[in-house]
């Protein structure tokens, strides 16, 4: 699990600066191993790629044992710059994808130059939240994503290419992502693009997860795929998500309680069959920021140097301490139950919120492994109790309602 969790942004021109060091401290602090590395200088005004802009950032990431997801920044306002910077052609983006992949894939040019083997970027993304400003022509956006994908895959077909995250299914209930989703449907259908990256900010007013699974990322993911007309399974990515600490959720205990549910909502996204997990990565925003930088709504740090976590950061630490070395074994959406397995324990996650399970209440029935001898009940606020258990059917009582609970079954 920890190899699917990370954060951003590792901005290339800030390599070695306190802002990026703060984020590395946060990633280490919660036990994550990935980071979104973005560049604003990845090409010239003539749209010639400049991959060496990433060199210093890549070296810093390697020293910090954080695997980067590369993001080529572009937003709609660039078209109105003086001089304007249009998104560019298929050929422009093919050249960029080919240059970035050749340099930064594992054992690529950069690795060979630095004596680093078996490490590099395997996921390449571009054009963050095009649906927010919605000024990029849809056909030009399609051609850019096609060029990027084909350029990357010309170097190594196994590398993944994903369009930068979309925001408006979450913020405006728009499953078409203001038209940008259907614009790239053919690229997802034929596999050139690996999946869909959705940015989800749960909010007490416009995305209240407390009102049921209608306000889950699974719901948005399914609606977006339907609007695209996809008939094959695609992967799910989340390079930004959080619970807004605001309004009725401003209290730290509420934010911490809901963040636990939000994380497992992101992680347990499934494909067309309703039970096969398709999540590739889940990055909360923003692990490294204090309210001074990001305001109180999404800042997950209390202090900057050294980094110390805000309540949602503490919850993230707890999750990865328990499940960081585990993999998902099964997802039962109707019951709101996720099962994970690892070398030292198994973990059951129960999303016991209204509208998230067909069996709400204070009692959960589980089939425990034959070797079970103890179970631990964990909530957003840590370990709540430990009790003896035996393998087979088990009924666990006195669980908290209206929140997610994690039940750990240690092997020893």
């Amino acid at each position: 699990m920890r190899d699917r969790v990370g954060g951003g942004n590792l901005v290339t021109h800030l390599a070695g600066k306190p802002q990026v060091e703060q984020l590395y401290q946060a990633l280490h602090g919660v036990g994550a191993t990935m980071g979104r590395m973005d560049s604003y200088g990845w090409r010239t005004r003539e749209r010639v790629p400049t991959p060496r802009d990433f060199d210093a950032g890549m070296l810093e990431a390697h020293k910090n044992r954080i695997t980067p997801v590369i993001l080529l920044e572009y937003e709609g306002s660039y078209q109105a710059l003086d001089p304007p910077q249009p998104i560019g052609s298929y050929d422009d983006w093919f050249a960029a994808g080919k240059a970035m992949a050749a340099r930064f894939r594992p054992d690529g040019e950069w690795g060979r130059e630095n004596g680093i083997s078996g490490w590099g970027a395997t996921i390449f993304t571009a054009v963050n939240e095009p649906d927010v400003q919605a000024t990029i022509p849809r056909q030009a956006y399609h051609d850019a994503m096609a060029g990027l994908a084909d350029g990357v895959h010309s170097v190594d077909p196994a590398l993944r290419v994903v369009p930068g995250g979309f925001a408006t299914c979450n913020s405006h209930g728009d499953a078409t992502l203001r038209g940008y989703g259907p614009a790239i449907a053919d690229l997802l259908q034929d596999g050139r693009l690996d999946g869909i990256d959705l940015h989800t900010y749960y909010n007490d007013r416009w995305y209240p997860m407390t009102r049921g699974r209608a306000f889950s990322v699974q719901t948005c993911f399914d609606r977006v795929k339907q609007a695209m007309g996809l008939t094959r399974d695609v992967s799910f990515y989340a390079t930004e998500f959080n619970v807004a600490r605001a309004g009725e959720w401003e209290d730290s205990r509420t934010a911490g309680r809901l963040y636990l549910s939000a994380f497992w909502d992101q992680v347990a996204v499934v494909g067309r069959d309703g039970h096969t997990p398709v999540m590739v990565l889940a990055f909360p925003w923003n692990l490294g920021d204090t309210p001074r930088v990001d305001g109180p709504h999404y800042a997950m740090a209390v202090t900057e140097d050294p980094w110390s976590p805000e309540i949602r950061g503490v919850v993230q630490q707890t999750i990865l301490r328990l499940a960081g070395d585990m993999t998902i074994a099964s997802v039962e959406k109707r019951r709101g139950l996720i099962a994970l397995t690892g070398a030292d324990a198994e973990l059951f996650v129960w999303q016991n919120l209204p509208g998230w399970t067909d069996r709400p209440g204070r009692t959960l029935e589980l089939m425990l492994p034959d070797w079970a001898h103890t179970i631990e009940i964990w909530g957003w606020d840590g370990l709540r109790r430990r009790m003896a258990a035996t393998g087979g059917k088990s009924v666990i009582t006195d669980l908290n309602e209206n929140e997610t609970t994690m039940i750990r079954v240690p092997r020893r």
Side-chain angles (χ1 to χ4, degrees):
M1 185 67 67
R2 72 176 74 257
D3 293 336
R4 295 171 177 260
V5 179
N9 283 332
L10 302 168
V11 185
T12 55
H13 72 268
L14 296 177
K17 303 293 185 182
Q19 299 97 312
V20 173
E21 174 56 31
Q22 171 79 355
L23 181 52
Y24 280 121
Q25 286 189 39
L27 292 170
H28 295 155
V30 300
T33 67
M34 298 191 75
R36 183 171 68 172
M37 180 177 292
D38 66 329
S39 168
Y40 297 88
W42 58 272
R43 69 181 183 182
T44 68
R45 289 183 176 180
E46 293 74 33
R47 296 189 290 282
V48 176
T50 55
R52 289 182 181 273
D53 179 76
F54 280 88
D55 281 12
M58 290 289 289
L59 188 60
E60 191 174 46
H62 181 261
K63 289 179 179 177
N64 278 279
R65 305 177 307 283
I66 296 297
T67 302
V69 173
I70 284 183
L71 168 62
L72 306 181
E73 286 278 6
Y74 183 88
E75 63 167 45
S77 66
Y78 293 2
Q79 298 172 103
L81 295 175
D82 186 16
Q85 289 292 307
I87 191 169
S89 67
Y90 171 94
D91 289 341
D92 293 329
W93 284 85
F94 183 98
K98 182 176 181 180
M100 297 298 169
R103 185 149 189 84
F104 299 117
R105 67 181 176 91
D107 301 317
E109 297 166 0
W110 177 87
R112 294 194 300 271
E113 288 175 11
N114 289 275
I116 295 170
S117 62
W119 184 91
T122 60
I123 300 172
F124 296 81
T125 72
V127 190
N128 190 49
E129 296 187 350
D131 52 333
V132 171
Q133 294 179 333
T135 57
I136 304 169
R138 275 54 171 188
Q139 185 61 47
Y141 174 72
H142 167 277
D143 294 347
M145 292 298 99
L148 176 68
D150 289 347
V152 169
H153 293 146
S154 73
V155 176
D156 184 347
L159 298 173
R160 302 188 186 207
V161 181
V162 187
F166 297 102
T168 52
C169 185
N170 171 225
S171 63
H172 291 79
D174 185 353
T176 75
L177 309 171
R178 291 181 171 162
Y180 290 98
I184 57 170
D186 64 315
L187 306 177
L188 285 153
Q189 183 65 35
D190 67 21
R192 280 186 280 177
L193 296 178
D194 183 64
I196 301 167
D197 180 353
L198 297 181
H199 292 175
T200 304
Y201 290 95
Y202 306 87
N203 185 283
D204 73 319
R205 295 178 60 189
W206 66 77
Y207 215 73
M209 64 193 310
T210 48
R211 288 173 52 188
R213 200 180 291 278
F215 298 97
S216 71
V217 71
Q218 182 77 60
T219 296
C220 259
F221 186 59
D222 291 341
R223 291 184 62 221
V224 167
K225 290 189 298 179
Q226 183 178 25
M228 291 183 179
L230 299 182
T231 58
R232 81 170 188 98
D233 263 327
V234 298
S235 300
F236 171 72
Y237 293 75
T239 51
E240 295 182 25
F241 76 91
N242 205 337
V243 170
R245 188 173 170 179
E248 293 183 1
W249 298 354
E250 186 173 5
D251 177 74
S252 63
R253 294 177 62 85
T254 301
R257 174 172 58 84
L258 293 176
Y259 182 83
L260 180 62
S261 297
F263 177 85
W264 289 109
D265 181 29
Q266 299 288 316
V267 166
V269 171
V270 296
R272 295 170 61 205
D273 63 9
H275 59 79
T276 300
V278 295
M279 183 274 293
V280 174
L281 52 81
F283 289 7
W285 183 273
N286 189 310
L287 286 168
D289 285 353
T290 63
R292 180 188 69 80
V293 176
D294 213 29
H297 292 182
Y298 304 117
M300 297 178 69
V302 175
T303 60
E304 297 179 9
D305 190 15
W307 172 85
S308 63
E310 185 260 6
I311 184 64
R312 290 161 293 182
V314 173
V315 174
Q316 187 66 71
Q317 282 181 318
T318 301
I319 293 168
L320 290 183
R321 189 182 349 143
L322 297 183
D325 298 320
M326 293 184 172
T327 58
I328 293 178
S330 66
V331 178
E332 298 180 60
K333 285 292 185 181
R334 190 170 68 175
R335 291 188 67 191
L337 193 65
I338 307 155
L340 298 94
T341 185
D344 297 328
E346 293 191 358
L347 189 72
F348 297 91
V349 180
W350 187 32
Q351 296 171 298
N352 186 23
L353 284 78
W356 290 72
T357 175
D358 64 346
R359 307 176 194 181
R362 295 174 59 82
T363 299
L364 176 65
E365 182 178 295
L366 290 175
M367 285 296 297
L368 297 180
D370 292 340
W371 44 260
H373 58 85
T374 305
I375 60 172
E376 301 167 355
I377 311 299
W378 291 77
W380 65 270
D381 51 355
L383 178 63
R384 290 179 174 166
R385 70 181 190 269
R386 185 179 287 110
M387 52 195 290
T390 56
K393 183 181 292 186
S394 178
V395 178
I396 305 169
T397 60
D398 297 324
L399 299 173
N400 286 21
E401 296 184 272
N402 301 322
E403 65 177 69
T404 293
T405 297
M406 299 180 291
I407 300 166
R408 181 175 183 268
V409 188
R411 294 184 184 270
R412 292 184 294 273

